[in-house]
Amino acid sequence: MAGGVVVTGTSNVDRVEAPVTVKAYIICAFAAFGGIFFGYDTGWMGGVLAMPYFITLYTGIPYDYNHVNPDGTIGAPIGVTKEQFVLPSATQSLFTSILSCGTFFGALVGGDIADFIGRRPTIIMGCFVFTAGCIMQIASTNQEVLFVFGRLIAGGGVGFISAVVILYMSEIAPKKVRGAMVSGYQFCITIGILLANCVVYATQGRADSGSYRIPIGVQFLWAIVLGVGLFILPESPRFYVKRGRIEEAAKALAFVRGQPLESDFVRDELAEIIANNEFEMQHIPQTSYVGSWTACFKGSLSHGNSSLRRTILGAGLQCMQQCTGINFVFYFGPPFFKQLGTISNPFLISLITTLVNVLSTPISFYTIEKFGRRALLLVGATGMIISQFIVGAIGVTQGREEVHNNAAVQAMIAFICINIAFFATTWGPTAWVVVGEVFPLPIRSRGVGISTASNWFWNTIIAVITPYLVGKDEANLGPKVFFLWGSLCCLSLTFAYFLVPELKGLSLEQADMCMQEVSPRHSAGWKPSHTFAAEMHHVEDNTALVGDGVEEKV
């Protein structure tokens, strides 16, 4: 056996993991802090794009910060109307999308590096890269190239963190609460968005560079907390198994499970991880560096356990999550709410929608383990479809700016908040949970990296095209854009129904077994009948299953 250590396990499917301890909760909760990076960087840009000082910086249009408007608000542009006092759609698109471009490549590289140096060092490295990008953004004044390049570098760091944190949490979280623990990552994303909106709301009226530099500078705190904290946390035991370092894997597993090294629980779980890795290595051979990447795309589309099918599931699910249109609200909320014409303070409305996102997400901690992954995705997509079509319908009738119907606009905002609540309790956390569960150990880091990169790729596409879709100097769809998001949610619903398996309450190794034996639509009723330790002859009496036929993956 790899590492020269023979570990025997159990054939009892109920003993493949140690009982849940407080230590496991604490480790996962701290790792979830990485979501703050994702959320905060998503949240502050939309607000900054609507700041008077920032607009003046990149357009040259002066602004009177002391002018009293007829509606009682303070501040007005000089020489142009409020509607004309905006950044060009191309500038908004570039500033917003370039971060996602950086995270796309960062996620791919991070997933790759995590297999060589470990999950923990890769996240710490991402903190350093992110910090370098923040410094460049703060250093820029009206130098568009420096600001954009800083956004790109910071995005690379966020990509490292967003991909590897999910990988790390999925590998160390206990199976009974893995869904809830990984959902904590999404909750931290929403906290990050809320914090960004609060900081932006506090600095929006400043007549100096602090209006946008303070929101950027706050991010240093997240890098320091996560980077320093990870020096204390252990490495993933599954990484050590993959590298053949069994003794280190046993120590790490004992630490995260809160058990003594000699515990039977530690021995049995470690044996199951080792046996599953050996089983997968028989069907996903690691031939070379290039081969380790191409292995993610081998196998048959018709087989639910093939590497290709899993990669399509992970990358496709992240694509479908972005196609719900949720980041339209968080990226371009203030500029969009300004377009509605009857809202005096779009920053406040954006803050409210963010608060809805934060308060709704913890509901998923309970529902994802109670009702499962599939049910949440199906119900959530249905709710978003209904909400978004209602917003679009009101927007093209009584919600039009020339109608001046405040009640209709308020109804639109209410259904936007309902749409956000559906996303926050279902697709927001569940997509990340499923991505962390569906890949076998030999390709897990690269599979999660590809899936996370898919999230950021489609994030980039949406960030690029949205200003052109809703900008008054371009397509000017306005509220009609919600018909587009609602239609795309129909696609998300179909994808979840046919391709997403139910993996609630299963260890990562049992999840692998489930995808081999049943189709996604019948996975909710599946129960494990044996262990990989028994199948690979790693039990004490050396008995194993006889006559088992296993489909090839490649």
Side-chain angles (χ1 to χ4, degrees):
M1 180 179 296
V5 180
V6 177
V7 181
T8 57
T10 179
S11 58
N12 185 347
V13 296
D14 297 321
R15 283 186 56 86
V16 295
E17 189 173 270
V20 181
T21 63
V22 175
K23 181 180 285 188
Y25 284 110
I26 294 174
I27 293 173
C28 288
F30 189 85
F33 187 82
I36 295 283
F37 283 84
F38 189 152
Y40 191 91
D41 231 17
T42 298
W44 70 262
M45 194 69 237
V48 167
L49 291 175
M51 284 182 176
Y53 184 88
F54 196 76
I55 294 173
T56 298
L57 195 64
Y58 285 96
T59 63
I61 301 173
Y63 190 85
D64 184 355
Y65 292 87
N66 299 314
H67 179 80
V68 180
N69 299 303
D71 60 1
T73 58
I74 307 296
I78 300 173
V80 297
T81 65
K82 281 191 174 183
E83 290 72 23
Q84 295 171 322
F85 188 64
V86 293
L87 288 172
S89 297
T91 304
Q92 290 189 41
S93 173
L94 176 63
F95 284 178
T96 306
S97 62
I98 197 66
L99 174 89
S100 302
C101 180
T103 52
F104 169 78
F105 292 105
L108 289 176
V109 174
D112 194 27
I113 293 175
D115 256 359
F116 290 99
I117 68 173
R119 286 49 165 147
R120 192 171 59 104
T122 305
I123 299 173
I124 295 172
M125 183 185 300
C127 292
F128 283 106
V129 174
F130 176 79
T131 300
C134 288
I135 292 172
M136 295 174 69
Q137 291 174 78
I138 290 176
S140 70
T141 49
N142 61 347
Q143 300 111 326
E144 190 169 313
V145 172
L146 183 60
F147 187 83
V148 168
F149 197 60
R151 291 279 288 167
L152 181 68
I153 298 298
V158 174
F160 271 46
I161 295 163
S162 60
V164 185
V165 163
I166 289 295
L167 176 64
Y168 181 73
M169 291 182 68
S170 297
E171 291 190 336
I172 67 174
K175 65 177 182 178
K176 292 181 180 178
V177 293
R178 185 176 60 247
M181 290 289 95
V182 179
S183 295
Y185 175 77
Q186 175 66 21
F187 181 57
C188 284
I189 292 176
T190 66
I191 292 289
I193 296 173
L194 177 63
L195 290 172
N197 276 269
C198 289
V199 175
V200 167
Y201 187 72
T203 65
Q204 59 171 308
R206 291 178 65 107
D208 55 33
S209 62
S211 58
Y212 72 92
R213 281 175 168 162
I214 291 173
I216 298 173
V218 168
Q219 297 176 107
F220 287 116
L221 178 61
W222 318 141
I224 293 170
V225 172
L226 185 64
V228 172
L230 278 168
F231 277 106
I232 304 170
L233 298 185
E235 180 56 82
S236 165
R238 287 177 167 88
F239 165 73
Y240 285 135
V241 169
K242 179 176 173 61
R243 303 298 293 181
R245 295 153 65 178
I246 306 304
E247 292 173 346
E248 292 172 88
K251 292 176 183 177
L253 187 60
F255 184 88
V256 299
R257 295 291 180 255
Q259 299 285 332
L261 187 59
E262 302 79 17
S263 167
D264 288 343
F265 285 113
V266 172
R267 184 197 64 184
D268 291 342
E269 182 174 358
L270 182 59
E272 185 71 0
I273 295 171
I274 294 170
N276 174 251
N277 185 54
E278 291 181 355
F279 173 86
E280 293 294 348
M281 290 293 286
Q282 293 177 1
H283 303 283
I284 310 177
Q286 304 292 292
T287 54
S288 64
Y289 174 76
V290 174
S292 66
W293 277 102
T294 58
C296 296
F297 302 96
K298 292 185 177 179
S300 170
L301 272 175
S302 61
H303 294 162
N305 67 318
S306 72
S307 297
L308 175 62
R309 178 74 171 266
R310 294 180 198 232
T311 301
I312 290 174
L313 170 58
L317 191 61
Q318 291 295 327
C319 168
M320 294 297 105
Q321 187 203 55
Q322 288 302 304
C323 286
T324 62
I326 192 66
N327 279 332
F328 165 71
V329 178
F330 297 125
Y331 279 157
F332 301 103
F336 172 75
F337 292 133
K338 282 176 69 175
Q339 282 188 6
L340 297 180
T342 58
I343 296 175
S344 60
N345 193 338
F347 287 95
L348 181 60
I349 302 300
S350 182
L351 190 59
I352 291 171
T353 58
T354 304
L355 191 61
V356 170
N357 192 26
V358 173
L359 296 178
S360 301
T361 302
I363 297 173
S364 67
F365 297 174
Y366 171 78
T367 56
I368 200 166
E369 299 297 356
K370 176 66 176 178
F371 303 108
R373 285 65 162 149
R374 275 179 62 85
L376 261 61
L377 292 175
L378 297 176
V379 170
T382 303
M384 285 188 285
I385 291 168
I386 296 170
S387 301
Q388 290 175 352
F389 279 131
I390 290 175
V391 172
I394 297 174
V396 299
T397 53
Q398 292 300 306
R400 288 176 294 138
E401 183 177 353
E402 59 268 24
V403 176
H404 299 291
N405 188 332
N406 287 337
V409 173
Q410 289 170 2
M412 289 173 62
I413 293 172
F415 276 101
I416 288 173
C417 288
I418 292 171
N419 174 69
I420 291 170
F422 270 113
F423 175 86
T425 53
T426 58
W427 277 82
T430 307
W432 293 110
V433 172
V434 173
V435 162
E437 294 175 331
V438 298
F439 293 100
L441 185 55
I443 63 169
R444 184 172 295 144
S445 67
R446 289 179 174 85
V448 173
I450 290 170
S451 301
T452 307
S454 171
N455 179 292
W456 289 109
F457 174 80
W458 292 104
N459 196 310
T460 304
I461 297 299
I462 290 171
V464 168
I465 67 173
T466 298
Y468 296 99
L469 293 175
V470 298
K472 288 197 172 183
D473 56 340
E474 300 294 343
N476 195 23
L477 289 180
K480 292 192 288 290
V481 75
F482 281 93
F483 288 124
L484 171 62
W485 305 136
S487 301
L488 290 173
C489 274
C490 295
L491 186 61
S492 299
L493 177 65
T494 305
F495 183 93
Y497 179 76
F498 286 105
L499 291 177
V500 178
E502 182 53 69
L503 304 175
K504 178 186 72 172
L506 303 177
S507 69
L508 294 181
E509 290 69 39
Q510 289 170 340
D512 190 29
M513 196 178 295
C514 173
M515 296 181 71
Q516 294 173 28
E517 297 182 1
V518 295
S519 68
R521 283 176 289 169
H522 298 97
S523 56
W526 182 86
K527 301 293 180 185
S529 59
H530 63 280
T531 66
F532 276 106
E535 188 166 332
M536 299 300 292
H537 303 274
H538 291 332
V539 293
E540 288 187 347
D541 59 2
N542 206 36
T543 59
L545 302 178
V546 179
D548 277 344
V550 181
E551 291 180 347
E552 288 192 359
K553 286 184 168 47
V554 296

